[in-house]
Coordinates of all heavy atoms in Angstrom, one line a residue:
M1 N -5.7 -9.9 -18.0 CA -4.6 -10.4 -17.2 C -4.6 -11.9 -17.4 O -5.6 -12.6 -17.1 CB -4.8 -10.0 -15.7 CG -3.7 -10.3 -14.9 SD -3.8 -9.8 -13.1 CE -5.2 -8.7 -13.0
T2 N -3.5 -12.4 -17.9 CA -3.5 -13.9 -18.1 C -2.9 -14.6 -17.0 O -3.3 -15.7 -16.6 CB -2.7 -14.2 -19.4 OG1 -1.4 -13.6 -19.3 CG2 -3.4 -13.6 -20.6
D3 N -1.9 -14.0 -16.3 CA -1.3 -14.7 -15.1 C -1.9 -14.1 -13.8 O -1.8 -13.0 -13.5 CB 0.2 -14.4 -15.1 CG 0.9 -15.1 -14.0 OD1 0.3 -15.7 -13.2 OD2 2.2 -15.2 -14.1
M4 N -2.7 -15.0 -13.1 CA -3.4 -14.5 -12.0 C -2.6 -14.7 -10.7 O -3.2 -14.6 -9.6 CB -4.8 -15.2 -11.9 CG -5.7 -14.9 -13.0 SD -6.1 -13.1 -13.1 CE -7.2 -13.0 -11.7
S5 N -1.4 -15.1 -10.8 CA -0.6 -15.3 -9.5 C -0.2 -14.0 -8.9 O -0.1 -13.0 -9.6 CB 0.6 -16.2 -9.8 OG 1.5 -15.4 -10.7
Y6 N -0.1 -14.0 -7.6 CA 0.2 -12.9 -6.8 C 1.1 -13.3 -5.6 O 1.1 -14.5 -5.3 CB -1.0 -12.1 -6.4 CG -1.9 -12.9 -5.5 CD1 -1.7 -12.8 -4.1 CD2 -2.9 -13.6 -5.9 CE1 -2.5 -13.6 -3.2 CE2 -3.7 -14.4 -5.1 CZ -3.5 -14.3 -3.7 OH -4.3 -15.1 -2.9
V7 N 1.7 -12.3 -5.0 CA 2.4 -12.5 -3.7 C 1.7 -11.6 -2.7 O 0.9 -10.7 -3.0 CB 3.9 -12.2 -3.8 CG1 4.6 -13.1 -4.8 CG2 4.1 -10.7 -4.3
D8 N 1.9 -11.8 -1.4 CA 1.3 -11.0 -0.4 C 1.9 -9.7 -0.3 O 2.9 -9.4 -0.8 CB 1.1 -11.8 0.9 CG 2.4 -11.9 1.7 OD1 3.2 -10.9 1.7 OD2 2.7 -12.9 2.3
G9 N 1.2 -8.8 0.5 CA 1.6 -7.4 0.6 C 2.9 -7.1 1.3 O 3.4 -6.0 1.2
N10 N 3.5 -8.1 1.9 CA 4.8 -7.9 2.5 C 5.8 -7.5 1.5 O 6.8 -6.9 1.8 CB 5.2 -9.2 3.2 CG 4.5 -9.4 4.6 OD1 4.5 -8.5 5.4 ND2 3.9 -10.5 4.8
M11 N 5.6 -7.9 0.2 CA 6.6 -7.6 -0.8 C 6.6 -6.1 -1.1 O 7.5 -5.6 -1.7 CB 6.4 -8.4 -2.1 CG 5.2 -8.0 -2.9 SD 5.5 -6.6 -4.1 CE 6.9 -7.3 -5.0
L12 N 5.6 -5.3 -0.6 CA 5.5 -3.9 -0.8 C 6.5 -3.1 0.1 O 6.7 -1.9 -0.1 CB 4.1 -3.4 -0.6 CG 3.0 -3.8 -1.6 CD1 1.6 -3.4 -1.1 CD2 3.3 -3.2 -3.0
D13 N 7.0 -3.8 1.1 CA 7.8 -3.1 2.1 C 8.9 -2.4 1.5 O 9.1 -1.2 1.8 CB 8.3 -4.2 3.1 CG 9.1 -3.5 4.2 OD1 8.7 -2.4 4.7 OD2 10.2 -4.0 4.6
G14 N 9.7 -3.0 0.7 CA 10.9 -2.4 0.1 C 10.5 -1.2 -0.8 O 11.0 -0.1 -0.6
P15 N 9.6 -1.4 -1.8 CA 9.2 -0.3 -2.7 C 8.6 0.9 -2.0 O 8.9 2.0 -2.3 CB 8.2 -1.0 -3.7 CG 8.6 -2.4 -3.7 CD 9.1 -2.7 -2.3
L16 N 7.8 0.6 -0.9 CA 7.1 1.7 -0.2 C 8.1 2.4 0.8 O 8.0 3.6 1.1 CB 5.9 1.2 0.5 CG 4.7 0.9 -0.4 CD1 3.5 0.3 0.4 CD2 4.3 2.1 -1.2
R17 N 9.0 1.6 1.3 CA 10.0 2.2 2.2 C 10.9 3.2 1.5 O 11.4 4.2 2.1 CB 10.9 1.1 2.8 CG 11.8 1.6 4.0 CD 12.6 0.4 4.5 NE 11.7 -0.6 5.1 CZ 11.4 -0.6 6.4 NH1 11.9 0.3 7.2 NH2 10.6 -1.5 6.9
E18 N 11.0 3.1 0.2 CA 11.7 4.0 -0.6 C 11.0 5.4 -0.6 O 11.7 6.4 -0.7 CB 11.8 3.5 -2.0 CG 12.9 3.9 -2.8 CD 12.9 3.3 -4.2 OE1 12.8 2.0 -4.3 OE2 13.0 4.0 -5.2
L19 N 9.7 5.4 -0.5 CA 8.9 6.6 -0.5 C 8.6 7.2 0.9 O 8.5 8.4 1.1 CB 7.6 6.4 -1.2 CG 7.6 5.9 -2.6 CD1 6.1 5.7 -3.1 CD2 8.3 6.9 -3.5
F20 N 8.4 6.3 1.9 CA 8.0 6.8 3.2 C 9.0 6.3 4.2 O 9.6 5.3 4.1 CB 6.6 6.2 3.5 CG 5.6 6.6 2.6 CD1 5.2 5.7 1.5 CD2 5.0 7.8 2.7 CE1 4.2 6.1 0.6 CE2 4.0 8.2 1.8 CZ 3.6 7.4 0.8
A21 N 9.1 7.1 5.3 CA 10.0 6.8 6.4 C 9.4 5.8 7.4 O 10.0 5.4 8.3 CB 10.4 8.1 7.1
V22 N 8.2 5.4 7.1 CA 7.5 4.4 8.0 C 7.3 3.1 7.2 O 7.3 3.1 6.0 CB 6.1 4.9 8.5 CG1 6.4 6.1 9.4 CG2 5.2 5.2 7.4
D23 N 7.0 2.0 7.9 CA 6.8 0.7 7.3 C 5.3 0.6 7.0 O 4.5 0.3 7.9 CB 7.3 -0.4 8.3 CG 7.0 -1.8 7.8 OD1 6.6 -1.9 6.6 OD2 7.2 -2.7 8.5
L24 N 5.0 0.8 5.7 CA 3.6 0.8 5.4 C 3.0 -0.6 5.3 O 1.8 -0.9 5.3 CB 3.3 1.5 4.1 CG 3.3 3.0 4.2 CD1 2.9 3.7 2.8 CD2 2.4 3.5 5.3
S25 N 3.9 -1.6 5.2 CA 3.4 -3.0 5.2 C 2.8 -3.4 6.5 O 2.0 -4.3 6.6 CB 4.5 -4.0 4.8 OG 5.4 -4.1 5.8
S26 N 3.2 -2.6 7.6 CA 2.5 -2.9 8.9 C 1.3 -2.0 9.1 O 0.7 -2.1 10.2 CB 3.6 -2.7 10.0 OG 3.9 -1.3 10.1
A27 N 1.0 -1.2 8.1 CA -0.2 -0.3 8.2 C -1.5 -1.1 8.0 O -1.5 -2.2 7.4 CB -0.1 0.8 7.2
T28 N -2.6 -0.5 8.5 CA -3.9 -1.1 8.3 C -4.6 -0.2 7.3 O -4.5 1.0 7.4 CB -4.7 -1.1 9.6 OG1 -4.0 -2.0 10.5 CG2 -6.1 -1.6 9.4
G29 N -5.3 -0.8 6.3 CA -6.0 0.0 5.3 C -7.5 -0.5 5.3 O -7.8 -1.6 5.6
R30 N -8.3 0.4 4.8 CA -9.7 0.1 4.6 C -10.0 0.2 3.1 O -9.7 1.2 2.4 CB -10.6 1.1 5.3 CG -12.1 0.8 5.1 CD -12.9 1.9 5.9 NE -14.3 1.5 5.9 CZ -15.2 1.9 4.9 NH1 -14.7 2.6 3.9 NH2 -16.4 1.5 4.9
C31 N -10.6 -0.9 2.6 CA -10.9 -1.0 1.2 C -12.1 0.0 0.9 O -13.1 -0.1 1.5 CB -11.3 -2.4 0.8 SG -11.9 -2.6 -0.9
E32 N -11.9 0.8 -0.1 CA -13.0 1.8 -0.5 C -14.2 1.0 -1.1 O -15.3 1.5 -0.9 CB -12.4 2.8 -1.5 CG -13.2 4.0 -1.7 CD -14.3 3.8 -2.8 OE1 -14.0 3.0 -3.7 OE2 -15.3 4.5 -2.7
S33 N -14.0 -0.1 -1.7 CA -15.0 -0.8 -2.4 C -15.9 -1.6 -1.4 O -17.1 -1.5 -1.5 CB -14.4 -1.8 -3.4 OG -15.4 -2.5 -4.0
C34 N -15.3 -2.4 -0.5 CA -16.1 -3.3 0.3 C -16.1 -3.0 1.8 O -16.8 -3.6 2.6 CB -15.7 -4.8 0.1 SG -14.1 -5.2 0.8
G35 N -15.2 -2.1 2.2 CA -15.1 -1.7 3.6 C -14.3 -2.6 4.5 O -14.2 -2.3 5.6
T36 N -13.7 -3.6 3.9 CA -12.8 -4.5 4.7 C -11.6 -3.7 5.2 O -11.0 -3.0 4.5 CB -12.3 -5.7 3.8 OG1 -13.5 -6.5 3.5 CG2 -11.3 -6.5 4.6
V37 N -11.4 -3.9 6.5 CA -10.2 -3.3 7.2 C -9.2 -4.4 7.5 O -9.6 -5.4 8.1 CB -10.6 -2.5 8.4 CG1 -9.4 -2.0 9.2 CG2 -11.6 -1.4 8.1
G38 N -8.0 -4.2 7.1 CA -7.0 -5.2 7.4 C -5.6 -4.8 7.1 O -5.4 -3.7 6.6
P39 N -4.6 -5.6 7.5 CA -3.2 -5.2 7.3 C -2.9 -5.1 5.8 O -3.4 -5.9 5.0 CB -2.4 -6.3 7.9 CG -3.4 -7.2 8.6 CD -4.7 -6.8 8.2
M40 N -2.2 -4.1 5.4 CA -1.8 -3.9 4.0 C -0.9 -5.1 3.5 O -0.8 -5.4 2.4 CB -1.0 -2.6 3.8 CG -1.8 -1.4 4.1 SD -3.3 -1.2 3.0 CE -2.5 -0.6 1.5
A41 N -0.3 -5.8 4.5 CA 0.5 -7.0 4.2 C -0.3 -8.1 3.6 O 0.2 -9.1 3.0 CB 1.3 -7.5 5.4
R42 N -1.7 -8.0 3.8 CA -2.5 -9.1 3.3 C -3.0 -8.8 1.9 O -3.8 -9.6 1.3 CB -3.7 -9.3 4.2 CG -3.3 -9.9 5.5 CD -4.5 -10.6 6.2 NE -4.1 -11.2 7.4 CZ -4.8 -11.1 8.5 NH1 -6.0 -10.5 8.5 NH2 -4.3 -11.6 9.7
L43 N -2.7 -7.6 1.3 CA -3.1 -7.4 -0.1 C -2.5 -8.4 -1.0 O -1.5 -9.0 -0.7 CB -2.6 -6.0 -0.5 CG -3.1 -4.8 0.1 CD1 -2.6 -3.5 -0.6 CD2 -4.6 -4.7 0.1
H44 N -3.2 -8.7 -2.0 CA -2.7 -9.6 -3.1 C -2.0 -8.7 -4.1 O -2.7 -7.8 -4.7 CB -3.9 -10.3 -3.8 CG -4.6 -11.3 -2.9 ND1 -5.6 -12.1 -3.2 CD2 -4.3 -11.6 -1.5 CE1 -6.0 -12.8 -2.2 NE2 -5.2 -12.6 -1.2
V45 N -0.7 -8.8 -4.2 CA 0.1 -7.9 -5.0 C 0.4 -8.6 -6.4 O 1.0 -9.6 -6.4 CB 1.4 -7.5 -4.3 CG1 2.2 -6.6 -5.2 CG2 1.0 -6.8 -3.0
Y46 N 0.0 -7.9 -7.4 CA 0.3 -8.4 -8.8 C 1.5 -7.5 -9.3 O 1.4 -6.3 -9.4 CB -0.9 -8.3 -9.7 CG -2.0 -9.2 -9.2 CD1 -2.9 -8.8 -8.2 CD2 -2.2 -10.5 -9.7 CE1 -3.9 -9.6 -7.7 CE2 -3.2 -11.3 -9.3 CZ -4.0 -10.8 -8.3 OH -5.0 -11.7 -7.8
S47 N 2.6 -8.2 -9.7 CA 3.7 -7.4 -10.1 C 4.0 -7.6 -11.6 O 5.0 -7.2 -12.1 CB 5.0 -7.9 -9.4 OG 5.2 -9.3 -9.5
H48 N 3.0 -8.1 -12.3 CA 3.1 -8.3 -13.8 C 2.6 -7.2 -14.6 O 2.7 -7.2 -15.8 CB 2.4 -9.6 -14.2 CG 2.7 -10.8 -13.3 ND1 3.9 -11.4 -13.3 CD2 1.9 -11.4 -12.4 CE1 3.9 -12.3 -12.4 NE2 2.7 -12.4 -11.9
A49 N 2.1 -6.1 -14.0 CA 1.6 -4.9 -14.6 C 2.8 -4.0 -14.8 O 3.9 -4.3 -14.2 CB 0.5 -4.3 -13.8
P50 N 2.6 -2.8 -15.4 CA 3.7 -1.8 -15.4 C 3.8 -1.2 -14.0 O 3.4 0.0 -13.9 CB 3.3 -0.9 -16.5 CG 2.0 -1.3 -17.1 CD 1.5 -2.5 -16.3
G51 N 4.2 -1.9 -13.1 CA 4.2 -1.4 -11.7 C 3.6 -2.5 -10.8 O 3.5 -3.6 -11.2
L52 N 3.3 -2.1 -9.6 CA 2.7 -3.1 -8.6 C 1.3 -2.7 -8.4 O 0.9 -1.5 -8.2 CB 3.5 -3.0 -7.3 CG 5.0 -3.3 -7.3 CD1 5.6 -3.0 -6.0 CD2 5.2 -4.7 -7.8
V53 N 0.4 -3.7 -8.4 CA -1.0 -3.5 -8.1 C -1.4 -4.3 -6.9 O -1.3 -5.6 -6.9 CB -1.9 -3.9 -9.4 CG1 -3.3 -3.8 -9.0 CG2 -1.5 -3.1 -10.6
G54 N -1.9 -3.7 -5.8 CA -2.3 -4.4 -4.6 C -3.9 -4.4 -4.6 O -4.5 -3.4 -4.7
R55 N -4.4 -5.7 -4.5 CA -5.8 -5.8 -4.6 C -6.3 -6.3 -3.2 O -5.6 -7.1 -2.5 CB -6.2 -6.9 -5.6 CG -6.0 -6.4 -7.0 CD -6.5 -7.4 -8.1 NE -6.4 -6.8 -9.4 CZ -7.4 -6.2 -10.0 NH1 -8.5 -6.0 -9.4 NH2 -7.2 -5.7 -11.2
C56 N -7.5 -5.9 -2.8 CA -8.2 -6.3 -1.6 C -8.3 -7.8 -1.6 O -8.8 -8.4 -2.5 CB -9.6 -5.6 -1.5 SG -10.6 -6.2 -0.2
P57 N -7.9 -8.5 -0.5 CA -8.1 -9.9 -0.4 C -9.5 -10.4 -0.3 O -9.9 -11.5 -0.6 CB -7.3 -10.3 0.8 CG -7.3 -9.1 1.7 CD -7.3 -7.9 0.7
A58 N -10.5 -9.5 0.1 CA -11.9 -9.8 0.2 C -12.6 -9.7 -1.1 O -13.4 -10.6 -1.5 CB -12.5 -9.0 1.3
C59 N -12.5 -8.6 -1.8 CA -13.3 -8.3 -3.0 C -12.5 -8.2 -4.3 O -13.1 -8.0 -5.3 CB -14.1 -7.0 -2.8 SG -13.2 -5.5 -2.9
T60 N -11.2 -8.2 -4.2 CA -10.3 -8.2 -5.3 C -10.2 -6.8 -6.0 O -9.5 -6.7 -7.0 CB -10.5 -9.3 -6.4 OG1 -11.6 -9.0 -7.1 CG2 -10.6 -10.6 -5.7
E61 N -10.9 -5.8 -5.5 CA -10.7 -4.4 -6.1 C -9.3 -3.9 -5.8 O -8.7 -4.2 -4.8 CB -11.8 -3.5 -5.5 CG -13.2 -3.7 -6.1 CD -13.2 -3.5 -7.6 OE1 -12.6 -2.5 -8.1 OE2 -13.9 -4.3 -8.3
V62 N -8.9 -3.0 -6.7 CA -7.5 -2.4 -6.5 C -7.5 -1.4 -5.4 O -8.4 -0.5 -5.4 CB -7.1 -1.7 -7.9 CG1 -5.8 -1.0 -7.7 CG2 -7.0 -2.8 -9.0
M63 N -6.6 -1.6 -4.4 CA -6.5 -0.6 -3.3 C -5.2 0.3 -3.5 O -5.2 1.4 -3.0 CB -6.4 -1.3 -2.0 CG -7.7 -2.0 -1.6 SD -7.6 -2.8 0.0 CE -7.2 -1.5 1.2
L64 N -4.2 -0.2 -4.2 CA -3.0 0.5 -4.3 C -2.3 0.2 -5.7 O -2.4 -0.9 -6.2 CB -2.1 0.0 -3.2 CG -0.6 0.4 -3.1 CD1 -0.2 0.4 -1.7 CD2 0.3 -0.5 -3.9
R65 N -1.7 1.2 -6.2 CA -0.9 1.1 -7.4 C 0.4 1.8 -7.2 O 0.4 3.0 -6.7 CB -1.6 1.7 -8.7 CG -2.9 1.0 -9.1 CD -3.5 1.8 -10.2 NE -4.8 1.3 -10.6 CZ -6.0 1.7 -10.0 NH1 -6.0 2.6 -9.1 NH2 -7.1 1.1 -10.4
L66 N 1.5 1.2 -7.5 CA 2.8 1.9 -7.4 C 3.6 1.7 -8.6 O 3.8 0.5 -9.0 CB 3.5 1.3 -6.2 CG 5.0 1.9 -5.9 CD1 4.9 3.4 -5.7 CD2 5.6 1.1 -4.8
V67 N 3.9 2.8 -9.3 CA 4.7 2.7 -10.5 C 6.0 3.5 -10.2 O 6.0 4.6 -9.7 CB 4.0 3.3 -11.7 CG1 4.9 3.3 -12.9 CG2 2.7 2.5 -12.0
R68 N 7.1 2.9 -10.6 CA 8.4 3.4 -10.4 C 9.2 3.6 -11.7 O 9.2 2.7 -12.5 CB 9.2 2.5 -9.5 CG 10.6 2.9 -9.1 CD 10.6 4.0 -8.0 NE 11.9 4.1 -7.4 CZ 12.9 4.9 -7.8 NH1 12.8 5.5 -9.0 NH2 14.0 4.9 -7.2
S69 N 9.7 4.8 -11.9 CA 10.6 5.0 -13.0 C 12.0 5.4 -12.4 O 12.1 5.5 -11.2 CB 10.1 6.2 -13.9 OG 10.3 7.4 -13.3
P70 N 13.0 5.5 -13.3 CA 14.3 5.8 -12.7 C 14.4 7.0 -11.8 O 15.1 7.1 -10.8 CB 15.2 6.0 -13.9 CG 14.6 5.1 -14.9 CD 13.1 5.3 -14.7
D71 N 13.6 8.1 -12.1 CA 13.7 9.3 -11.3 C 12.4 9.7 -10.6 O 12.4 10.8 -10.0 CB 14.2 10.5 -12.3 CG 13.2 10.8 -13.3 OD1 12.3 10.0 -13.6 OD2 13.3 11.9 -13.9
R72 N 11.4 8.9 -10.6 CA 10.2 9.3 -9.8 C 9.3 8.1 -9.6 O 9.5 7.0 -10.2 CB 9.4 10.4 -10.5 CG 8.8 10.0 -11.8 CD 8.4 11.2 -12.6 NE 9.6 12.0 -13.0 CZ 9.7 13.3 -13.0 NH1 8.6 14.0 -12.8 NH2 10.8 13.9 -13.3
A73 N 8.3 8.3 -8.7 CA 7.4 7.2 -8.4 C 6.0 7.8 -8.3 O 5.8 8.9 -8.0 CB 7.7 6.5 -7.1
W74 N 5.0 6.9 -8.7 CA 3.6 7.3 -8.6 C 2.9 6.4 -7.7 O 3.0 5.1 -7.9 CB 2.9 7.2 -10.0 CG 3.4 8.2 -11.0 CD1 2.8 9.4 -11.3 CD2 4.6 8.1 -11.9 NE1 3.6 10.1 -12.3 CE2 4.6 9.3 -12.6 CE3 5.5 7.1 -12.0 CZ2 5.6 9.5 -13.6 CZ3 6.5 7.3 -13.0 CH2 6.6 8.5 -13.7
L75 N 2.2 6.9 -6.7 CA 1.5 6.1 -5.8 C 0.0 6.4 -5.8 O -0.3 7.6 -5.6 CB 2.0 6.3 -4.3 CG 1.3 5.5 -3.2 CD1 1.3 4.0 -3.4 CD2 1.8 5.9 -1.9
D76 N -0.8 5.5 -6.2 CA -2.3 5.7 -6.3 C -3.0 4.9 -5.2 O -2.9 3.7 -5.2 CB -2.7 5.3 -7.7 CG -4.2 5.4 -7.9 OD1 -5.0 5.6 -6.9 OD2 -4.6 5.3 -9.0
L77 N -3.6 5.6 -4.2 CA -4.2 4.9 -3.1 C -5.7 5.2 -3.2 O -6.4 5.0 -2.1 CB -3.7 5.4 -1.8 CG -2.3 4.9 -1.4 CD1 -1.7 5.7 -0.2 CD2 -2.3 3.4 -1.1
R78 N -6.3 5.5 -4.3 CA -7.7 5.9 -4.3 C -8.6 4.7 -4.0 O -9.8 5.0 -3.7 CB -8.1 6.5 -5.7 CG -8.3 5.6 -6.8 CD -8.6 6.3 -8.1 NE -7.4 6.3 -8.9 CZ -7.3 6.6 -10.1 NH1 -8.4 7.0 -10.7 NH2 -6.2 6.5 -10.8
G79 N -8.1 3.5 -4.0 CA -9.0 2.4 -3.6 C -9.0 2.1 -2.1 O -9.6 1.1 -1.7
A80 N -8.2 2.9 -1.4 CA -8.2 2.7 0.1 C -8.8 4.0 0.7 O -8.4 5.1 0.4 CB -6.7 2.5 0.5
T81 N -9.8 3.8 1.6 CA -10.4 4.9 2.3 C -9.4 5.5 3.3 O -9.4 6.8 3.4 CB -11.6 4.4 3.1 OG1 -12.5 3.7 2.2 CG2 -12.3 5.5 3.7
F82 N -8.6 4.7 4.0 CA -7.6 5.3 4.9 C -6.5 4.3 5.0 O -6.6 3.1 4.7 CB -8.2 5.7 6.2 CG -8.7 4.5 7.0 CD1 -7.8 3.7 7.7 CD2 -10.0 4.2 7.1 CE1 -8.2 2.6 8.5 CE2 -10.5 3.2 7.9 CZ -9.6 2.4 8.6
L83 N -5.4 4.8 5.5 CA -4.3 3.9 6.0 C -4.0 4.3 7.5 O -3.9 5.5 7.8 CB -3.0 4.2 5.2 CG -2.9 3.7 3.8 CD1 -1.6 4.1 3.2 CD2 -3.1 2.2 3.8
E84 N -3.9 3.4 8.3 CA -3.6 3.6 9.7 C -2.2 3.1 9.9 O -1.9 1.9 9.7 CB -4.5 2.9 10.6 CG -4.2 3.0 12.1 CD -5.2 2.2 12.9 OE1 -6.4 2.2 12.6 OE2 -4.7 1.6 13.9
V85 N -1.2 4.0 10.2 CA 0.2 3.6 10.3 C 0.7 3.7 11.7 O 0.5 4.7 12.4 CB 1.0 4.6 9.4 CG1 2.5 4.3 9.5 CG2 0.5 4.7 8.0
P86 N 1.2 2.5 12.2 CA 1.7 2.6 13.6 C 3.0 3.5 13.7 O 3.8 3.4 12.8 CB 2.1 1.1 13.9 CG 2.1 0.4 12.6 CD 1.3 1.2 11.6
M87 N 3.0 4.3 14.7 CA 4.1 5.2 14.8 C 4.8 4.9 16.2 O 4.2 4.6 17.2 CB 3.6 6.7 14.9 CG 2.8 7.1 13.6 SD 3.9 7.0 12.1 CE 4.9 8.4 12.4
P88 N 6.1 5.0 16.2 CA 6.9 4.8 17.4 C 6.6 5.9 18.4 O 6.5 7.1 18.1 CB 8.3 4.8 17.0 CG 8.4 5.4 15.6 CD 7.0 5.3 15.0
L89 N 6.4 5.5 19.7 CA 6.1 6.4 20.7 C 7.2 7.3 21.1 O 7.1 8.4 21.6 CB 5.6 5.7 22.0 CG 4.2 5.1 21.8 CD1 3.9 4.2 23.0 CD2 3.1 6.1 21.6
D90 N 8.4 6.8 20.8 CA 9.6 7.6 21.3 C 10.1 8.6 20.3 O 11.1 9.3 20.5 CB 10.8 6.6 21.6 CG 11.2 5.8 20.4 OD1 10.4 5.7 19.4 OD2 12.3 5.2 20.4
Q91 N 9.3 8.8 19.2 CA 9.7 9.9 18.3 C 8.8 11.1 18.4 O 7.6 10.9 18.7 CB 9.6 9.4 16.8 CG 10.7 8.3 16.5 CD 10.8 7.9 15.1 OE1 10.0 8.4 14.3 NE2 11.7 7.1 14.7
P92 N 9.4 12.3 18.2 CA 8.5 13.5 18.4 C 7.5 13.5 17.3 O 7.6 13.0 16.2 CB 9.5 14.6 18.2 CG 10.7 14.0 17.6 CD 10.7 12.6 17.9
H93 N 6.3 14.1 17.6 CA 5.3 14.3 16.7 C 4.9 15.7 16.6 O 5.1 16.5 17.6 CB 4.1 13.4 17.0 CG 3.6 13.6 18.4 ND1 4.1 13.0 19.5 CD2 2.6 14.4 18.9 CE1 3.5 13.3 20.6 NE2 2.5 14.2 20.2
P94 N 4.3 16.2 15.5 CA 3.9 17.6 15.3 C 2.9 18.0 16.4 O 2.0 17.2 16.7 CB 3.3 17.7 14.0 CG 3.7 16.4 13.3 CD 4.0 15.4 14.3
R95 N 3.1 19.2 17.0 CA 2.1 19.7 17.9 C 1.0 20.4 17.2 O 1.2 20.9 16.1 CB 2.8 20.7 18.9 CG 3.9 20.1 19.7 CD 4.5 21.1 20.6 NE 5.6 20.6 21.3 CZ 5.6 19.8 22.4 NH1 4.4 19.5 22.9 NH2 6.6 19.4 23.0
P96 N -0.2 20.3 17.7 CA -1.3 21.0 17.1 C -1.0 22.5 17.1 O -0.4 23.1 18.0 CB -2.5 20.7 18.0 CG -2.1 19.7 19.0 CD -0.6 19.6 18.9
L97 N -1.5 23.2 16.0 CA -1.3 24.7 15.9 C -2.1 25.4 16.9 O -3.1 25.1 17.3 CB -1.6 25.1 14.5 CG -0.7 24.5 13.4 CD1 -1.2 24.9 12.0 CD2 0.8 24.9 13.6
Ligands
ZN1 ZN1 -12.5 -4.9 -0.8

């Protein structure tokens, strides 16, 4: 990688909103590599790859990859142990079986 510039994870809002009905930029994620927990909006996002690459701000390991083609998208979250997504209280949620 020759260009090390990045933007913050807020730029993921539009691309991820296309896939999910929730705002994942307001989600909290845990880095699989170093265990840091923080807002996905703080990821360092590199957009110079064939897609978007979100790196942990603490250890720089990849937490998220998003590649978009005209008719599909690939989301790789294997660098994140979990995502915690805030949900509106006024919307119905699935009942346990
Ligand atoms: Zn990390």
Side-chain angles (χ1 to χ4, degrees):
M1 187 177 349
T2 56
D3 186 349
M4 295 300 287
S5 65
Y6 63 88
V7 295
D8 73 38
N10 283 308
M11 75 84 59
L12 293 171
D13 182 43
L16 288 176
R17 190 176 296 264
E18 209 178 306
L19 299 178
F20 299 99
V22 295
D23 177 8
L24 284 187
S25 70
S26 65
T28 298
R30 181 180 186 274
C31 174
E32 195 271 333
S33 176
C34 73
T36 295
V37 176
M40 296 300 280
R42 289 204 183 137
L43 293 185
H44 294 179
V45 178
Y46 296 85
S47 58
H48 312 293
L52 302 173
V53 175
R55 291 183 174 271
C56 173
C59 74
T60 72
E61 284 296 318
V62 175
M63 289 180 64
L64 173 150
R65 295 174 185 88
L66 177 63
V67 176
R68 179 77 161 84
S69 76
D71 66 340
R72 64 196 67 218
W74 293 264
L75 177 61
D76 178 348
L77 287 168
R78 79 182 102 165
T81 304
F82 66 79
L83 288 179
E84 178 184 318
V85 180
M87 301 299 288
L89 289 172
D90 61 343
Q91 290 188 359
H93 55 276
R95 296 183 187 279
L97 297 173

